[in-house]
Amino acid sequence: MTEVAEAPDARRAQELKRIAHWINGASVAGESGRSGPVYNPAAGVQTGEVDFASVEEIDRAVQAAKDAFPAWRAVSLSRKTEIFFRIRALVDEHREDIAKILTAEHGKVLSDALGEVARGIEVIEFCCGIPELLKGGFTEQASTGIDVYSIRQPLGVCAGITPFNFPAMVPMWMWAPALSCGNTFVLKPSEKDPTASVYTAELLKEAGVPDGVFNVVHGDKVAVDAILEHPGIDAVSFVGSTPIARHVYETGTSHGKRVQALGGAKNHMIVLPDADIDMAADAAVSAGYGSAGERCMAVSMLVAVGDAGDELVGAIKERLPKVKVGDGMEADSEMGPLVTREHRDKVASYIDKGRDEGATVVTDGRESAPGGEGFFLGVTLLDDVKPEMDVYKDEIFGPVLGVTRVSTYDEAVRLVNENPYGNGVAIFTRDGGVARQFQFDVNVGMVGINVPIPVPVAYYSFGGWKNSLFGDLHIYGPEGIQFYTRGKVVTSRWPDPATSKVDLGFPQTR
Ligand code: NAD
């Protein structure tokens, strides 16, 4: 079984861990000669080396998935359900082990990592209901002696390409519905934190998932493009940044695949003057800096309406010195490091950029970052941000929260609707009528009313609008089941001499 993370000091002394592919139910060492580093971001040291797949290795994984498909597809729904209950039990049993892997490679604090696993488990639980979810429709006597019914069938081999920020949960959004619908799967996780996926593969095998049904290949653009162009893959789910999501959607669909590609975000939180400002400030700090801002549903821009601004900025500023930044393995840490040194430096560069563009640096996270080699940055608050600034336009994906001030509700909604992203949005107000109007007005896929991170529960579907999603169907929930199946309608008649005759006319339903 894949090793679970140990304390950073113990790890530093160890040899680099090699992270291999998982093909046809076994660990397979890469042979391409290409690989990438995996770090412990809190210590700032490399802990592993992950194999990067060649085109041939991707082909091998796809072939394994293709060979496994006919038998997996034929497994009864009751047996699949039994396996899914076992998967659920095993993931639950190992939730702490998985969380430790996430903290060790991604850096998020352990409590947050446990939350990630918990939200992933909810998707597995939803998939335990697959017999109900795949129920079709039936019409008796549509015409005399003729019945019509609809069924949904799996697509074949599906692939998932996932980002670094949710190394366990986002893959679960994909493989759980895909497998429960009867597909086989090839997962290409982020090369920055790949171990959780291999660990999951071992759990799935233990739960009784047959060899070849779930495969993991690591890599970079070479692996992704090989997946997008492979004729043996029927559908691709992608979650990551917008430029790559667009590339995945365009390339995948031009190669005849069904694609859902979820992209980046710039999530606004609107605070109206009548809002409970303490509640809004707590929410802004939690949603802006949780997981060091490396969440696609993180709040990155506060829109203070009317005279809400001064009080809101004051309340947030007061809370920031109390945010404990540190190694995610330590129990009192509330915010961990960023995923890599390069990313930390890029995020930090936005602080000077913001100041140069005319924003006010209320709190500079460089001043509160813990020392040492870890990829840390403290919490940063920028006030007086304007929509034309890069700190407003770019997805910074770090602990940098901006505040922009507007005079009216209409102006706030216009800002959100003009933004090219449309993943999540929140409004804080005590006025139910305004909140209801907001849900009607706003062009965003996931809306929170006094809720800052409105990630839908597993029995609804997750997805943004505009540049936050390329494709038609959202991920997991009912739309996930739709994505991983296609419909078939059967019109049937059984031999009945009373209704049998030659009729060359177009079939009529009477
Ligand atoms: P990323 O786009 O850099 O990488 C995502 C995946 O694409 C990885 O598996 C990576 O190996 C692959 N990839 C990277 N560059 C590629 C290229 N040039 N060609 C082909 N494949 C390539 O994203 P990331 O940095 O890992 O994750 C952060 C991003 O993901 C943020 O933009 C965040 O908003 C987004 N995200 C979105 C959601 C959502 O639900 N909309 C959820 C989580 C993360």
Side-chain angles (χ1 to χ4, degrees):
M1 180 123 268
T2 297
E3 246 174 64
V4 172
E6 293 165 31
D9 286 339
R11 247 193 332 265
R12 220 173 286 153
Q14 284 176 358
E15 291 285 295
L16 287 186
K17 179 179 66 173
R18 183 167 179 193
I19 302 141
H21 311 300
W22 181 272
I23 299 174
N24 208 16
S27 178
V28 176
E31 291 172 355
S32 72
R34 295 176 66 242
S35 60
V38 175
Y39 295 95
N40 168 9
V45 293
Q46 186 180 350
T47 54
E49 189 73 20
V50 58
D51 293 334
F52 281 6
S54 62
V55 174
E56 292 71 33
E57 286 165 322
I58 296 290
D59 184 54
R60 207 169 140 194
V62 175
Q63 202 50 53
K66 214 171 166 186
D67 292 347
F69 176 63
W72 177 243
R73 186 196 161 189
V75 170
S76 71
L77 286 174
S78 55
R79 169 89 182 121
K80 283 203 189 88
T81 304
E82 191 188 338
I83 291 174
F84 260 77
F85 270 104
R86 233 180 283 142
I87 294 173
R88 196 262 171 220
L90 278 170
V91 175
D92 180 41
E93 189 189 323
H94 293 279
R95 64 167 84 203
E96 196 141 330
D97 298 335
I98 299 169
K100 282 183 180 161
I101 292 172
L102 305 183
T103 298
E105 292 185 355
H106 173 280
K108 63 178 69 179
V109 298
L110 199 55
S111 54
D112 193 37
L114 282 164
E116 166 174 355
V117 180
R119 291 303 295 262
I121 288 177
E122 289 175 15
V123 174
I124 297 171
E125 286 167 352
F126 175 76
C127 295
C128 289
I130 196 64
E132 175 70 22
L133 295 167
L134 284 185
K135 261 186 185 169
F138 189 95
T139 303
E140 186 186 48
Q141 196 76 342
S143 183
T144 306
I146 290 191
D147 302 329
V148 180
Y149 50 98
S150 64
I151 49 183
R152 296 203 71 85
Q153 296 185 334
L155 305 175
V157 178
C158 300
I161 301 159
T162 54
F164 79 81
N165 66 328
F166 285 103
M169 182 186 75
V170 168
M172 288 175 191
W173 289 359
M174 301 175 181
W175 63 252
L179 261 55
S180 66
C181 289
N183 301 282
T184 56
F185 205 77
V186 176
L187 172 65
K188 205 301 285 172
S190 170
E191 64 278 31
K192 295 191 177 96
D193 40 23
T195 301
S197 293
V198 183
Y199 190 83
T200 304
E202 293 171 6
L203 293 182
L204 294 191
K205 184 175 171 108
E206 198 181 331
V209 172
D211 292 350
V213 169
F214 180 73
N215 307 276
V216 181
V217 285
H218 304 289
D220 55 2
K221 185 172 170 57
V222 172
V224 171
D225 288 348
I227 286 171
L228 298 177
E229 292 166 14
H230 200 295
I233 294 178
D234 298 283
V236 175
S237 299
F238 172 89
V239 176
S241 60
T242 288
I244 313 297
R246 189 180 277 118
H247 164 72
V248 165
Y249 184 76
E250 287 171 357
T251 313
T253 51
S254 75
H255 284 81
K257 300 179 200 323
R258 182 180 289 192
V259 180
Q260 56 180 183
L262 283 73
K266 191 83 188 182
N267 303 314
H268 297 70
M269 174 172 145
I270 297 174
V271 181
L272 297 184
D274 73 336
D276 180 325
I277 294 294
D278 278 322
M279 181 180 170
D282 286 341
V285 173
S286 312
Y289 305 112
S291 198
E294 290 174 327
R295 290 181 184 142
C296 66
M297 290 291 276
V299 166
S300 51
M301 190 54 57
L302 293 169
V303 186
V305 180
D307 57 11
D310 289 346
E311 206 190 331
L312 180 66
V313 170
I316 294 173
K317 190 180 170 190
E318 199 183 289
R319 284 161 171 75
L320 295 190
K322 296 175 203 142
V323 175
K324 172 86 174 65
V325 183
D327 185 332
M329 292 287 189
E330 283 163 21
D332 62 341
S333 296
E334 293 175 296
M335 190 182 104
L338 284 102
V339 69
T340 58
R341 180 173 284 115
E342 295 69 36
H343 186 55
R344 188 267 316 271
D345 294 347
K346 185 174 168 211
V347 172
S349 74
Y350 277 98
I351 304 171
D352 286 335
K353 190 179 254 191
R355 183 183 283 120
D356 295 346
E357 288 178 314
T360 307
V361 181
V362 179
T363 307
D364 186 333
R366 291 169 298 190
E367 291 163 6
S368 57
E373 292 302 306
F375 311 144
F376 289 103
L377 181 65
V379 292
T380 293
L381 182 64
L382 303 177
D383 196 2
D384 305 310
V385 175
K386 301 280 186 298
E388 57 279 8
M389 297 177 182
D390 285 345
V391 286
Y392 190 116
K393 288 188 287 193
D394 296 354
E395 182 188 35
I396 300 175
F397 220 56
V400 177
L401 184 57
V403 182
T404 192
R405 294 161 182 250
V406 297
S407 308
T408 63
Y409 162 86
D410 286 340
E411 247 182 283
V413 171
R414 199 175 321 120
L415 276 183
V416 176
N417 285 351
E418 282 174 359
N419 197 272
Y421 296 108
N423 215 39
V425 69
I427 189 163
F428 277 69
T429 177
R430 286 191 171 95
D431 188 328
V434 174
R436 188 171 183 279
Q437 186 62 41
F438 180 69
Q439 98 195 10
F440 184 84
D441 289 337
V442 77
N443 294 333
V444 171
M446 292 170 283
V447 179
I449 295 172
N450 297 315
V451 171
I453 308 184
V455 174
V457 290
Y459 41 97
Y460 285 82
S461 298
F462 179 109
W465 287 15
K466 300 185 273 184
N467 285 350
S468 297
L469 174 73
F470 301 89
D472 303 311
L473 290 171
H474 291 193
I475 205 161
Y476 73 73
E479 293 190 41
I481 300 300
Q482 222 178 317
F483 180 81
Y484 289 118
T485 54
R486 64 190 137 205
K488 193 179 263 181
V489 177
V490 181
T491 304
S492 84
R493 177 175 70 161
W494 293 97
D496 174 7
T499 60
S500 177
K501 63 173 180 173
V502 172
D503 182 353
L504 300 188
F506 192 71
Q508 295 184 33
T509 55
R510 284 176 208 283

